[in-house]
Amino acid sequence: MSLHGRNVILGVSGSIAAYKVVQVARDLTQAGARVDVLMTEGATRFITPLTFQTLTRRPVITDLWQDWSEDAQGHISLGEEAEVMLIAPASAQTIARLALGLADDMVSLTALATYTPLVIAPAMNYHMWEHPATREHIHTLESRGATILSPGRGTLASGAVGEGRLAKPVEILGAVRWRLGRGGRLAGTRIVVTAGGTREPIDPVRYLSNGSSGRMGYALAQAAIDEGADVTLISANVDLPPPWGADGVPVTTAAQMLDATSRACERADALVMAAAVSDYTPASPSGQKLKKTGGGLALDLAETADVVASITRPGLLKVGFAAETEHLRENARAKLERKGLDLIVANDANATIGAPDAALTLIRADGSVEELGRRPKEQAAEMVIAALTGLMNRKDT
Ligand code: CTP
């Protein structure tokens, strides 16, 4: 992920969860973003400005009147430069201030003085979260376009169990990333991404499957979100946190994958078919657990439908994958033609499945070939999405 040249304001308010936001400030800075931290007086009781200052390598503003005489507009102009203002943790008090348009601390003042989109991650006692006043304020902020990261349920700082716990740092980061992507080159498009490996039941406790982790598909979904696309992510048996902002559709079998993908593609601009779909499924799975026979066991397998080949909606761009163990380019090109694809991403199956990196070759329907070289799957995914973006732009012109 690169956030070079991106400007984020982080408003921290008074909640014990402030310490968790240190991680978010660090991750955003490491990704290249400029992070300007503003803290309410309450926030400084829980954590020092020096912590954020050290991690972001930027001055932290805590006082409305700080440097006022020298640079009266300075702090307000922060809001004009920022592309997103993250408020985390957002206490009940800060949420009320934002909803009412008060401006009596740096966080609320900056939010009021700008049209920068807000991402708000509340954290508070669960009675406060459930209080009708807070509910109304949240509703108001949502109706004005703020993104609210609903607090999770769990043990709160008080020891009580309830809703009010700050969203996880990885989710907060995901929401900021989603917000930053909104104006990207794929804004206004819907992309369906499939990921993982299907499972075909043999009996109630056994199945046929493959070693796909879903990592490539999830990285593709994230890369498309980073470019502003609305993403439907159809996942078969993936044990990873989905990218923030993706509409997740879990499936298990090849038949379910076909059904879910066909439906999602009815209103999509592109399909990125990264899932490893089983080619065969047990013809008549046993309703009961199979018992040992004392000899061998023959399974009668039926061929599954080819998902990407069978979806033929005009105007839908199709990207397929070809994991090959030999004759990479020839096999991939034949698949591209057979399945009516616009782009096929070929890779060496021996080296890619389960590995953190991939050496991909892109082959387009016009015959052009591009070697991407070995790189982390996240980076390779960004390059595949860039190639797809190029094809989508070409289609539009
Ligand atoms: N695919 C699909 N439906 C299937 C099998 C594969 O949509 N039933 C898609 C995969 O998601 C991938 C592309 O087709 O994008 C190529 O998959 P691959 O398994 O390499 O090709 P197969 O057609 O299964 O050919 P083979 O297994 O013979 O190499």
Side-chain angles (χ1 to χ4, degrees):
M1 157 181 65
S2 170
L3 297 179
H4 280 283
R6 312 305 298 265
N7 295 329
V8 177
I9 294 180
L10 168 58
V12 185
S13 67
S15 154
I16 178 62
Y19 78 92
K20 295 188 191 167
V21 175
V22 168
Q23 181 72 41
V24 178
R26 182 170 176 272
D27 290 347
L28 286 169
T29 308
Q30 283 199 339
R34 187 183 96 181
V35 184
D36 284 300
V37 178
L38 315 173
M39 298 175 78
T40 65
E41 214 271 317
T44 63
R45 306 246 171 165
F46 290 102
I47 190 157
T48 74
L50 188 62
T51 309
F52 285 111
Q53 196 167 314
T54 311
L55 292 169
T56 61
R57 299 184 287 275
R58 304 271 307 161
V60 171
I61 305 165
T62 56
D63 177 4
L64 203 52
W65 307 107
Q66 191 175 320
D67 303 332
W68 186 259
S69 55
E70 294 159 32
D71 184 8
Q73 289 301 306
H75 305 336
I76 289 178
S77 71
L78 274 183
E80 284 159 15
E81 289 165 22
E83 295 156 275
V84 58
M85 180 168 180
L86 165 67
I87 299 166
S91 63
Q93 164 90 325
T94 286
I95 285 169
R97 281 196 179 108
L98 296 172
L100 295 173
L102 303 184
D104 55 356
D105 63 23
M106 266 319 291
V107 174
S108 54
L109 174 102
T110 310
L112 192 65
T114 170
Y115 290 110
T116 304
L118 302 182
V119 173
I120 301 174
M124 65 195 71
N125 162 285
Y126 70 100
H127 288 306
M128 288 182 174
W129 175 246
E130 283 164 10
H131 195 283
T134 308
R135 304 257 47 82
E136 267 176 46
H137 292 325
I138 289 287
H139 184 71
T140 302
L141 291 167
E142 262 174 339
S143 67
R144 287 187 206 143
T147 304
I148 312 286
L149 281 130
S150 297
R153 219 188 126 71
T155 307
L156 306 175
S158 61
V161 175
E163 235 172 86
R165 221 155 85 153
L166 184 73
K168 292 195 183 96
V170 59
E171 291 170 71
I172 300 175
L173 196 67
V176 170
R177 236 173 128 169
W178 173 84
R179 189 65 254 185
L180 286 172
R182 291 287 74 195
R185 287 176 299 163
L186 291 177
T189 66
R190 176 158 291 271
I191 298 189
V192 177
V193 179
T194 68
T198 62
R199 287 179 185 168
E200 309 304 315
I202 296 171
D203 69 17
V205 295
R206 303 183 180 96
Y207 53 79
L208 293 177
S209 193
N210 56 69
S212 172
S213 65
R215 221 180 127 181
M216 189 66 199
Y218 274 43
L220 288 158
Q222 180 66 66
I225 289 171
D226 285 343
E227 284 297 344
D230 292 329
V231 169
T232 306
L233 178 57
I234 302 175
S235 309
N237 314 300
V238 179
D239 193 18
L240 293 170
W244 204 92
D247 298 327
V249 183
V251 297
T252 306
T253 63
Q256 290 169 359
M257 176 65 82
L258 174 66
D259 193 45
T261 310
S262 310
R263 222 158 335 126
C265 283
E266 281 167 18
R267 54 190 188 106
D269 301 286
L271 166 63
V272 180
M273 193 76 207
V277 185
S278 307
D279 291 333
Y280 292 95
T281 190
S284 39
S286 167
Q288 305 300 329
K289 189 176 169 215
L290 292 176
K291 292 291 176 197
K292 250 191 262 181
T293 59
L297 174 71
L299 280 178
D300 188 13
L301 301 178
E303 205 168 304
T304 59
D306 191 304
V307 178
V308 75
S310 62
I311 298 175
T312 54
R313 197 171 68 67
L316 179 77
L317 272 168
K318 294 199 292 183
V319 180
F321 282 72
E324 306 292 341
T325 50
E326 55 181 357
H327 311 303
L328 186 72
R329 286 193 186 193
E330 296 82 337
N331 286 345
R333 198 167 284 136
K335 271 178 200 170
L336 174 128
E337 281 166 21
R338 198 166 70 235
K339 298 179 190 235
L341 306 177
D342 298 278
L343 171 70
I344 193 153
V345 183
N347 63 68
D348 179 348
N350 297 317
T352 302
I353 288 199
D357 51 11
L360 306 181
T361 306
L362 304 186
I363 305 175
R364 294 181 183 78
D366 66 7
S368 64
V369 178
E370 200 181 330
E371 293 281 354
L372 299 187
R374 181 158 289 281
R375 46 186 84 245
K377 282 186 179 169
E378 283 66 28
Q379 217 181 75
E382 283 168 18
M383 297 173 89
V384 173
I385 293 300
L388 170 65
T389 308
L391 291 176
M392 290 177 87
N393 290 343
R394 211 185 297 171
K395 197 184 84 178
D396 291 343
T397 50

